[in-house]
Amino acid sequence: MTVQRVFHVILFVISSHFANIVEAKPPHILFVLADDYGYNDIGYHGSEIRTPNLDKLSGEGVRLENYYVQPICTPTRSQLMSGRYQIHTGLQHGIIWAPQPNALPRDSPTLADKMRESGYSTHAVGKWHLGFYKEEYLPNNRGFDTFYGYLTGSEDYYTKSRCSGRNMCGKDLRDDFKPIEPNPNEYSTEMYSKRVIDLVNNYNSTKPMFMYLAFQAVHAPLEVPSRYTDKYAHIKNHNRRTYAGMVAAMDEAIGNITTAFQANGMWDDTVMVFSTDNGGQILAGGNNWPLRGWKASLWEGGLHGVGFVHGKALQRKGTVSHELLHVTDWYPTLVGLAGGSLNGTKPLDGFNQWKTISEGAKSPREILLHNIDPLFKPAGDKREGSPFDNRVRAALRWRDWKIITGNPGNSTWVPVPTSEEDNFNIDDDTSKQKKNIWLFNIAKDPVERTDLSDVYPEMVNKMLFKLQQLNKTAVPCVYPPMDPRSNPEHLGGWWGPWET
Ligand SMILES: *[C@@H]1O[C@H](CO)[C@@H](O)[C@H](O)[C@H]1NC(C)=O
Ligand SMILES: *[C@@H]1O[C@H](CO)[C@@H](O)[C@H](O)[C@H]1NC(C)=O
Ligand SMILES: *[C@@H]1O[C@H](CO)[C@@H](O)[C@H](O)[C@H]1NC(C)=O
């Protein structure tokens, strides 16, 4: 080797080392959360609804096919923002209703707090639904530099208003803390994506960006501009057709947003996560076929989520992951990507899954508590000698095994409706049933057709014991009565904080 050659080699080593350092700059994070988006509503799961942008992005990234969320809205968002199970935040039961004085507790930093602490500029656009009865619970006081969106759930896509409780109605749209007058001609999917695009186009910070976009789409009410349903004239069922249009609008919005990131030279440095918050609502156009059950149940149709990750930072692009992942995992995973530290949090229930997603490593997660809900009406009889009160609504995953106890809720398999008629006459009243223990091997039977609880009584006991161990760590469930002081009538017409 000549001296010159040696010199070149040394230069190469130094510069590639330097490149690694440059590469280690934390990426922008774009986290897109869809609302009530079903398992069978995305193109790559074989849906009749076309999602070209989601298909392309997920195809270039890593599709998560063993990924779990919670069966309803507030619970998933609370676990995303805290990295902690509902049994550890007191939000085990239901959602936070607009008039309820309840919120994600302030005893542990949120994901946004941590991203900000790690040097990010932090932005929330769209739905909050983690409590607002005091100003200290609004997104701007939970780690977000900016917020543009709404605090409750299931509002109108145009008027941005919703009624809750006993005829309490109000508008629900804010720019940071400030209530703003909704434009009734603006469809929320376009409005929120426009806000994200504005933030991206005007981005002049040297900090990496954490963008949390929680779409209103594709939750009820079923509303969409007709240009999105035109191409779905062949879908006979009215709800499904409207829903397909809502999905098309969301998919287009995501295309627009990625284009803006590209145009501003930010896309190559962005890691994008896409996730639903829970299974599809079959009463409002959603579908989870071939999974069992739907939104609000502990069956796979309620909590086996659609999700993927996109980004140059992924080492194995264009792959499908079958490793067990859960919504609580985003907290340590994203703080890890940000180069932050997990100091100062209450014990996390999530795992850093970056190697799992990026490199196809084995998931560190063996156990996944779907939930234990102490307030849900108990079902059936307690089994003699059971370590866990099996009348209680609960579900737990351990490796490939899943146990469900109590009343799991909506329990049938619902195909896509093919006629004008909606298939809602489903005989699915689970409230009177006595059976209250099911056991499945989810890897072999992802659609929960074969209950194995009689075949493997020892596994049932083992799983009940694990449930009991987790239950011992639970904090009391917080579910206060509706507070009439929340009435927007007393608050200038908007839903907002009513206590100081
Ligand atoms: C996407 O961008 C186009 C072009 O600006 C716009 O007309 C359309 O409304 C946008 N779609 C959504 C859903 O925001
Ligand atoms: C960056 O953006 C902020 C907020 O939009 C603005 O106030 C500031 O003047 C901008 N700075 C530069 C250097 O453009
Ligand atoms: C974590 O540690 C950093 C550095 O010491 C500190 O600034 C930050 O406040 C800590 N975070 C929490 C949530 O305790």
Side-chain angles (χ1 to χ4, degrees):
M1 228 184 248
T2 63
V3 171
Q4 200 187 19
R5 176 98 179 99
V6 168
F7 182 69
H8 274 143
V9 167
I10 290 171
L11 254 191
F12 176 76
V13 168
I14 290 172
S15 63
S16 50
H17 182 69
F18 191 68
N20 278 336
I21 292 169
V22 171
E23 230 173 48
K25 181 176 181 270
H28 304 297
I29 307 278
L30 168 62
F31 196 108
V32 180
L33 191 67
D35 201 345
D36 281 13
Y37 188 40
Y39 183 84
N40 190 26
D41 302 335
I42 195 157
Y44 66 83
H45 279 170
S47 180
E48 82 278 31
I49 302 175
R50 289 185 293 271
T51 52
N53 289 302
L54 291 169
D55 290 355
K56 178 170 184 288
L57 291 165
S58 62
E60 293 167 356
V62 179
R63 290 178 180 160
L64 309 176
E65 292 298 0
N66 195 1
Y67 169 58
Y68 287 84
V69 289
Q70 297 303 112
I72 43 175
C73 183
T74 298
T76 286
R77 289 155 212 263
S78 71
Q79 301 207 16
L80 170 65
M81 282 299 153
S82 69
R84 309 180 72 227
Y85 291 148
Q86 285 156 261
I87 60 163
H88 296 145
T89 59
L91 296 172
Q92 294 92 318
H93 184 71
I95 59 164
I96 297 174
W97 293 97
Q100 260 181 321
N102 201 6
L104 177 66
R106 291 183 54 90
D107 57 1
S108 191
T110 65
L111 172 59
D113 285 325
K114 276 296 182 185
M115 296 305 280
R116 182 194 265 169
E117 186 188 287
S118 312
Y120 276 65
S121 97
T122 55
H123 307 272
V125 175
K127 187 181 195 176
W128 180 237
H129 216 176
L130 288 175
F132 62 88
Y133 74 105
K134 291 181 180 174
E135 200 164 276
E136 69 193 49
Y137 295 115
L138 296 194
N140 291 79
N141 284 328
R142 304 309 303 271
F144 287 104
D145 299 340
T146 73
F147 169 64
Y148 179 74
Y150 62 116
L151 301 171
T152 68
S154 55
E155 61 182 9
D156 186 281
Y157 280 78
Y158 295 99
T159 64
K160 285 78 178 182
S161 303
R162 75 101 91 223
C163 297
S164 191
R166 282 195 201 85
N167 277 330
M168 295 198 252
C169 297
K171 293 175 267 197
D172 187 4
L173 185 63
R174 260 160 220 268
D175 201 342
D176 295 329
F177 293 104
K178 210 169 78 264
I180 52 176
E181 194 60 53
N183 171 357
N185 297 317
E186 215 172 0
Y187 184 59
S188 94
T189 305
E190 292 173 295
M191 183 175 87
Y192 293 130
S193 65
K194 226 180 272 163
R195 172 54 67 110
V196 172
I197 290 166
D198 282 351
L199 284 165
V200 168
N201 285 345
N202 296 315
Y203 202 63
N204 64 5
S205 171
T206 52
K207 295 178 175 182
M209 175 190 262
F210 174 53
M211 173 63 71
Y212 171 54
L213 166 58
F215 274 119
Q216 180 177 358
V218 286
H219 195 291
L222 291 163
E223 294 173 323
V224 71
S226 60
R227 66 180 177 280
Y228 292 108
T229 47
D230 289 346
K231 63 179 166 232
Y232 288 117
H234 59 280
I235 296 182
K236 298 250 171 356
N237 182 265
H238 175 265
N239 279 359
R240 185 71 175 161
R241 186 167 62 243
T242 310
Y243 179 90
M246 293 161 76
V247 171
M250 177 174 75
D251 187 76
E252 182 183 286
I254 287 168
N256 286 0
I257 289 165
T258 56
T259 303
F261 271 82
Q262 280 158 4
N264 286 282
M266 290 165 71
W267 187 239
D268 285 352
D269 305 321
T270 298
V271 169
M272 173 188 178
V273 178
F274 178 83
S275 172
T276 186
D277 70 334
N278 47 248
Q281 172 54 281
I282 62 146
L283 305 174
N287 193 264
N288 309 291
W289 183 264
L291 301 181
R292 182 172 190 175
W294 62 94
K295 178 182 178 180
S297 77
L298 290 171
W299 305 104
E300 294 289 292
L303 35 82
H304 187 149
V306 165
F308 68 82
V309 180
H310 179 279
K312 279 245 163 89
L314 292 165
Q315 294 201 10
R316 293 179 5 147
K317 302 178 184 64
T319 58
V320 175
S321 170
H322 295 283
E323 292 293 320
L324 187 60
L325 266 86
H326 181 236
V327 65
T328 47
D329 297 336
W330 296 121
Y331 190 110
T333 303
L334 298 183
V335 174
L337 266 182
S341 120
L342 293 171
N343 62 323
T345 71
K346 289 220 156 183
L348 298 181
D349 295 307
F351 293 86
N352 186 334
Q353 297 277 17
W354 184 248
K355 273 182 184 298
T356 313
I357 297 164
S358 173
E359 298 168 29
K362 192 169 148 48
S363 169
R365 178 180 282 287
E366 293 221 307
I367 196 158
L368 165 48
L369 179 68
H370 291 307
N371 198 21
I372 302 171
D373 183 343
L375 293 193
F376 204 87
K377 194 165 167 273
D381 301 321
K382 179 148 190 239
R383 172 187 283 211
E384 214 173 308
S386 169
F388 177 74
D389 186 346
N390 53 286
R391 294 169 299 182
V392 172
R393 172 184 266 209
L396 174 82
R397 176 80 173 263
W398 178 67
R399 298 186 180 167
D400 293 341
W401 296 97
K402 177 182 179 185
I403 190 167
I404 307 177
T405 65
N407 174 2
N410 317 323
S411 68
T412 38
W413 296 263
V414 184
V416 173
T418 50
S419 65
E420 307 262 358
E421 294 284 306
D422 288 317
N423 50 8
F424 305 152
N425 313 322
I426 293 162
D427 180 19
D428 196 40
D429 183 6
T430 51
S431 63
K432 290 187 199 75
Q433 74 191 5
K434 295 282 263 176
K435 182 171 170 60
N436 59 16
I437 296 183
W438 293 259
L439 180 74
F440 299 99
N441 182 316
I442 295 297
K444 293 197 180 121
D445 179 24
V447 297
E448 295 168 307
R449 296 261 177 194
T450 313
D451 170 31
L452 299 170
S453 60
D454 289 338
V455 187
Y456 297 105
E458 275 165 31
M459 183 54 73
V460 168
N461 262 334
K462 184 174 173 155
M463 299 291 275
L464 288 169
F465 181 71
K466 285 180 189 295
L467 270 173
Q468 183 54 15
Q469 280 185 313
L470 277 158
N471 201 31
K472 280 196 222 144
T473 69
V475 300
C477 182
V478 183
Y479 197 73
M482 312 285 161
D483 185 341
R485 289 179 300 164
S486 66
N487 197 335
E489 203 175 86
H490 313 309
L491 302 163
W494 272 267
W495 290 103
W498 66 89
E499 242 183 61
T500 46

